[in-house]
Amino acid sequence: MSRPVDALDSAFPVAASIALDLIRRPEVSAQWSRPSALPHLSVGALACHLGRQAVRAAELLPSPADLPTLESADSHYERAAWVTDGTPDADAVAAGPDEADAARGPADLHARSADALNAVNDLLSRGAALDVVPIPWQGWSLRRADFLLTRQLEIVVHSDDLAVSVGVPTPEFPAEVFDPVRDLLVRLAVRRRGQSALIGALSRSERAGDISAF
């Protein structure tokens, strides 16, 4: 049986490949244990969080979903508790998986991320990625395109975080990767801040305010 094909099936591996190139940069390994641009998170932990997006995709794309399916990626972020919980404290970050993964070192991350990217490419190319993907830690599922968009947003945002953390240029993503993420962030920002806040920030520097989507 043929499966639906979405543009993100081809865009996501491109995003993950760009993230892998950034993770492999020597500046990341050299500053592995130093603080990143994100509160309480080391450079190594941030790199592991970035690499985990491909790992998650490799794990979940072939997994049958038995959870309710949300209508959009927007709904995923509107319902996720972390969006409104604010910045996690130091104890919560230390207890999370990122620092534990970072303790295994850069080489382990490089291998794990490369294997995951290969697996994702294989799943998508041979039609083994399912149309609905479970998000077990949230308690719901997403259509494959929406799931890939959420992982793609994570990659674009955290690639910038990691690049800033180690003092290298933020990777430039092609339009097929960047544009859907940009549009999602704008929708989320409007929902959270309102149209006026977004218009003012983008068109009137004298009254620009906070338009963060999260």
Side-chain angles (χ1 to χ4, degrees), residues 45-163:
L46 176 55
C48 288
H49 187 80
L50 177 57
R52 186 175 296 109
Q53 306 317 312
V55 173
R56 290 286 197 200
E59 292 172 347
L60 296 176
L61 283 172
S63 300
D66 58 357
L67 297 167
T69 304
L70 299 188
E71 60 271 21
S72 66
D74 303 52
S75 297
H76 169 81
Y77 288 105
E78 289 162 9
R79 297 188 184 199
W82 66 263
V83 173
T84 55
D85 282 349
T87 302
D89 60 29
D91 290 340
V93 172
D98 298 322
E99 291 293 354
D101 284 351
R104 295 153 64 180
D108 181 84
L109 173 63
H110 299 166
R112 188 167 66 252
S113 299
D115 288 347
L117 178 55
N118 289 336
V120 168
N121 275 315
D122 177 65
L123 288 165
L124 293 171
S125 65
R126 63 184 175 87
L130 299 181
D131 296 335
V132 178
V133 182
I135 317 290
W137 63 92
Q138 294 288 5
W140 56 70
S141 300
L142 291 170
R143 291 186 292 270
R144 186 177 69 249
D146 292 325
F147 169 74
L148 291 174
L149 179 54
T150 65
R151 299 311 95 196
Q152 206 158 288
L153 182 147
E154 294 284 327
I155 286 174
V156 170
V157 169
H158 290 305
S159 290
D160 182 62
D161 291 331
L162 183 58

Side-chain angles (χ1 to χ4, degrees), residues 14-27:
V14 174
S17 178
I18 292 171
L20 179 57
D21 288 342
L22 175 61
I23 287 166
R24 285 170 165 165
R25 288 195 63 138
E27 295 91 344

Side-chain angles (χ1 to χ4, degrees), residues 141-214:
S141 300
L142 291 170
R143 291 186 292 270
R144 186 177 69 249
D146 292 325
F147 169 74
L148 291 174
L149 179 54
T150 65
R151 299 311 95 196
Q152 206 158 288
L153 182 147
E154 294 284 327
I155 286 174
V156 170
V157 169
H158 290 305
S159 290
D160 182 62
D161 291 331
L162 183 58
V164 168
S165 296
V166 299
V168 301
T170 297
E172 289 287 323
F173 291 94
E176 63 266 27
V177 172
F178 183 78
D179 289 1
V181 171
R182 174 203 63 201
D183 294 346
L184 175 56
L185 286 171
V186 168
R187 293 195 302 271
L188 296 176
V190 169
R191 180 178 177 83
R192 184 177 186 188
R193 307 294 181 181
Q195 291 183 1
S196 178
L198 193 73
I199 292 168
L202 295 179
S203 65
R204 294 289 180 259
S205 59
E206 64 273 13
R207 57 184 178 89
D210 182 7
I211 58 168
S212 171
F214 304 121

